Amino acid sequence: MEEDRSTLHSTFSVERTYEASAKRVFSAWSDPKARLQWISPGENFSTTYIENDFHVGGRDVSRFQFGRGDEYVADARYEDIVEDRGIVYTYTMSHNGRRISSSLTTVTIAPMKSGTHVVVTEQITILDGGDKVEYRQSGIAGQLDQLGVFLESEAVN
């Protein structure tokens, strides 16, 4: 008997404006030490990098652990990087060893007169009901909020 399979497709964007230069915002994404300080999707999450190779064609594999036993692994490949302007990457997300989604994500970094506007757009395919679009959108919004806190701090530049 063949197992039931399903896919759900969605696209969403999350936007933030920061009082920081485009160079500083880009650096927060490209430096793995800096990124570890803001990338966890919320409280009670811990994040570790298994691999981080920030260049076109490079892989970025991170593990998020939540609560007791829940583990998420994001396995990304950088498709395009334009210094201080944007990043495009594809990634799969697994939860406790089960693949739950595949995404194409575009990070647009736009300098403004007094700061930088960031738009993260994700085109997601959720596999077999393993995730919800609103959870992913909320997670990215939380990450961008934490990026704002990081950019206001004197943390790694």
Side-chain angles (χ1 to χ4, degrees), residues 56-74:
V56 174
R59 281 183 72 202
D60 182 310
V61 182
S62 53
R63 177 180 291 133
F64 302 95
Q65 292 185 305
F66 178 72
R68 295 186 179 138
D70 274 331
E71 178 181 81
Y72 295 85
V73 175

Side-chain angles (χ1 to χ4, degrees), residues 13-64:
S13 294
V14 180
E15 301 183 35
R16 296 289 186 274
T17 300
Y18 304 110
E19 291 182 13
S21 69
K23 184 173 202 58
R24 180 148 161 75
V25 171
F26 182 82
S27 178
W29 283 87
S30 62
D31 178 348
K33 289 180 184 175
R35 196 163 3 132
L36 271 175
Q37 296 180 45
W38 64 267
I39 198 69
S40 286
E43 287 188 30
N44 301 320
F45 273 87
S46 64
T47 305
T48 55
Y49 277 108
I50 300 165
E51 186 174 345
N52 185 288
D53 187 9
F54 190 79
H55 78 277
V56 174
R59 281 183 72 202
D60 182 310
V61 182
S62 53
R63 177 180 291 133
F64 302 95

Side-chain angles (χ1 to χ4, degrees), residues 55-155:
H55 78 277
V56 174
R59 281 183 72 202
D60 182 310
V61 182
S62 53
R63 177 180 291 133
F64 302 95
Q65 292 185 305
F66 178 72
R68 295 186 179 138
D70 274 331
E71 178 181 81
Y72 295 85
V73 175
D75 187 344
R77 181 179 188 276
Y78 293 106
E79 303 296 337
D80 190 47
I81 298 171
V82 178
E83 189 170 344
D84 302 340
R85 298 294 181 175
I87 306 161
V88 177
Y89 59 94
T90 56
Y91 76 104
T92 59
M93 181 72 75
S94 298
H95 175 233
N96 294 334
R98 176 180 162 229
R99 184 164 292 169
I100 60 173
S101 68
S102 184
S103 299
L104 169 65
T105 303
T106 302
V107 179
T108 303
I109 301 169
M112 300 168 46
K113 286 184 181 181
S114 61
T116 302
H117 188 72
V118 173
V119 179
V120 177
T121 301
E122 183 159 330
Q123 296 168 283
I124 184 171
T125 301
I126 294 175
L127 306 170
D128 303 322
D131 204 348
K132 294 186 183 280
V133 173
E134 56 268 26
Y135 294 168
R136 192 63 63 83
Q137 189 169 1
S138 176
I140 290 174
Q143 289 174 330
L144 293 181
D145 291 344
Q146 292 179 98
L147 174 59
V149 171
F150 172 82
L151 292 169
E152 290 173 1
S153 75
E154 293 298 319

